[in-house]
Amino acid sequence: DIFALMAGIAFNVAYFQTKHWTMNNVLGICFCLQGIERFSLGTYKIGAILLVGLFFYDIFWVFGTDVMVTVAKSLDGPIKILFPRSLIPDAATGKLEMSLLGLGDIVIPGFFLALLLRFDAHNAKVDYFPTNVHASFSKPYFHSALVGYVLGLATTLYVMIVFQAAQPALLYLVPACLGSSLLCAVVRGELKALFDYSEEEEEEEEEEE
């Protein structure tokens, strides 16, 4: 623990001195993992409602106003993931031109994917408590949504680079994640089970046992 603490302090000191984009991304991803690990949506319906609401929210604040883009660009910290558009620095500024992805575009779908992973574990009858993190089981919902997320993210980056304009990532990620999970449920004939799934009831059952 002491070694990890010292390494963490050294890493953060180096980041604040250099502000290198790769170190920024490492810290941003760490924040994302901690958030996803500690938060649960509870039910698929809550996750779907949240994603649909943020779908319209993201579109409005990116296309309807420049507030979100301005804030994201002006704040210098690990609140976003940076992607260099080119490995050749700009001649005028001497810096790499960057595209960015807000941490919310990772964390919010991450909550949803984590819920689907737990639904897969529920279907496979994996014990909720004590949890065996090394348990092997089929993960059709998680894998389908993960593929959808990757394709949605790739589409976001492609459109952003081609049109040289900020894009609301959830415009592409929400349909990809919701669509892939719903399609998986329809194919497997488990649509009702997916909508009825509740982690709160599962926790109560485990406590009673």
Side-chain angles (χ1 to χ4, degrees), residues 105-177:
D105 298 324
I106 300 175
V107 173
I108 300 302
F111 292 153
F112 189 71
L113 265 69
L115 175 73
L116 293 176
L117 179 60
R118 290 189 288 270
F119 179 64
D120 283 326
H122 170 78
N123 284 345
K125 308 299 182 185
V126 176
D127 291 335
Y128 182 81
F129 184 83
T131 302
N132 179 8
V133 296
H134 301 293
S136 177
F137 57 93
S138 177
K139 308 177 183 70
Y141 289 92
F142 174 74
H143 287 151
S144 61
L146 181 61
V147 170
Y149 178 82
V150 171
L151 293 176
L153 186 59
T155 302
T156 304
L157 295 175
Y158 174 78
V159 175
M160 186 187 303
I161 293 172
V162 169
F163 292 95
Q164 295 292 307
Q167 296 294 315
L170 294 181
L171 171 64
Y172 309 97
L173 296 178
V174 169
C177 292

Side-chain angles (χ1 to χ4, degrees), residues 40-44 46 115 118 197-200:
S40 169
L41 293 174
T43 69
Y44 182 86
I46 291 176
L115 175 73
R118 290 189 288 270
Y197 173 66
S198 173
E199 293 183 322
E200 295 176 359

Side-chain angles (χ1 to χ4, degrees), residues 15-25 27 31 69-82 95 98 100:
Y15 165 71
F16 283 109
Q17 288 180 340
T18 63
K19 296 288 183 160
H20 197 274
W21 65 273
T22 56
M23 303 181 78
N24 172 91
N25 291 355
L27 290 174
F31 293 150
V69 176
T70 301
V71 171
K73 288 183 176 180
S74 60
L75 290 179
D76 187 15
I79 62 167
K80 55 199 173 186
I81 302 298
L82 301 173
K95 297 181 179 180
M98 294 286 181
L100 61 90

